[in-house]
């Protein structure tokens, strides 16, 4: 195998690690990129390199941003007394697409998982608890995926906030068991947010 073929195979292996890609779909994507080198592959490579260098996590909520803090945290019009806890940035963006929530967010960056050795410290749950205490939060909305790990994480956070005087709610109707926020339509997310209930 030549060096070029080795590089192409390495690129296919990297692409196959992306969500929704397997070895075959990664191979198809790489071959398509190679056919469109100037119009697609080169600009894509440049943009990926630029984003990797300039984008970082918001130090307040965990959203991705180019600025010191993300636009949501920097917006004085956002209600600081409500924090919506989400698993990842994709879920935050899904909530924002719905346009129903005017508060702030806290991105966990995953869910509790004993199998993967992911505990509260790895998810920044202590940072969430600090924010709740330090920012005068009145309600924490647990908008975690309706999976076993998502619900385990929600229960852990609810128990950690017990006795704090903060109202803990979770999304209600419209979120199917086993469903993930990023795959729901805007109307479903809006209905679930309006019908939230005590956790």
């Amino acid at each position: 195998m030549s060096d070029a073929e080795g590089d192409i195979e390495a690129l296919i292996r990297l692409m196959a690690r992306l969500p929704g890609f397997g070895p075959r779909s990664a191979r198809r994507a790489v071959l398509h990129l190679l056919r469109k080198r100037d119009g697609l592959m080169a600009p894509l490579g440049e943009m990926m390199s630029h984003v990797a260098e300039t984008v970082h996590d918001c130090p307040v909520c965990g959203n991705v941003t180019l600025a010191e803090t993300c636009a949501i945290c920097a917006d004085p019009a956002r209600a600081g007394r409500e924090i919506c806890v989400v698993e990842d940035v994709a879920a935050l963006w899904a909530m924002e697409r719905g346009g129903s929530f005017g508060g702030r967010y806290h991105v966990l960056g995953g869910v509790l998982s004993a199998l993967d050795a992911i505990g509260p410290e790895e998810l920044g749950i202590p940072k969430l608890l600090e924010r709740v205490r330090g920012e005068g939060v009145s309600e924490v909305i647990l908008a975690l995926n309706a999976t076993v790990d998502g619900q385990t994480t929600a229960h852990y956070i609810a128990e950690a906030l017990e006795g704090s005087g903060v109202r803990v709610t979770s999304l209600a109707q419209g979120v199917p068991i086993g469903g993930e926020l990023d795959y729901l339509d805007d109307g479903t997310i809006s209905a679930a947010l309006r019908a939230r209930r005590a956790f």
Side-chain angles (χ1 to χ4, degrees):
M1 183 183 288
S2 71
D3 287 346
E5 288 171 330
D7 288 348
I8 292 168
E9 283 301 318
L11 182 56
I12 291 169
R13 283 194 300 276
L14 282 171
M15 290 284 281
R17 291 165 57 182
L18 293 172
F21 278 83
R24 293 172 88 182
S25 55
R27 179 170 276 107
R28 280 194 301 275
V30 167
L31 290 173
H32 179 77
L33 287 169
L34 287 170
R35 282 193 301 273
K36 309 280 185 177
R37 257 174 277 197
D38 293 336
L40 184 59
M41 189 177 207
L44 179 64
E46 287 172 19
M47 186 52 67
M48 289 177 79
S49 177
H50 174 71
V51 168
E53 290 172 13
T54 57
V55 171
H56 62 91
D57 293 343
C58 174
V60 178
C61 73
N63 191 8
V64 291
T65 183
L66 290 167
E68 191 173 325
T69 58
C70 75
I72 295 170
C73 289
D75 184 354
R78 300 294 290 228
R81 295 184 55 78
E82 293 178 342
I83 290 183
C84 182
V85 179
V86 293
E87 183 177 329
D88 54 29
V89 173
L92 185 156
W93 289 358
M95 293 293 291
E96 281 297 285
R97 260 195 335 262
S100 301
F101 182 61
R104 300 182 191 272
Y105 293 92
H106 188 85
V107 180
L108 293 176
V111 287
L112 295 173
S113 173
L115 288 174
D116 299 319
I118 299 173
E121 298 293 331
E122 287 74 25
L123 298 179
I125 291 176
K127 183 176 179 181
L128 168 65
L129 301 178
E130 276 177 40
R131 285 186 70 194
V132 169
R133 285 191 297 269
E135 295 177 19
V137 172
S138 60
E139 181 180 6
V140 172
I141 303 164
L142 300 172
L144 301 173
N145 293 328
T147 59
V148 172
D149 288 341
Q151 293 310 294
T152 300
T153 306
H155 282 287
Y156 180 91
I157 293 169
E159 285 178 15
L161 290 169
E162 221 168 84
S164 66
V166 174
R167 183 172 176 233
V168 180
T169 59
S170 66
L171 297 186
Q173 70 183 62
V175 179
I177 298 300
E180 295 185 11
L181 287 175
D182 195 34
Y183 295 105
L184 299 179
D185 65 283
D186 301 347
T188 301
I189 290 174
S190 295
L193 191 59
R194 283 193 305 274
R196 62 187 184 268
R197 55 179 168 72
F199 192 81

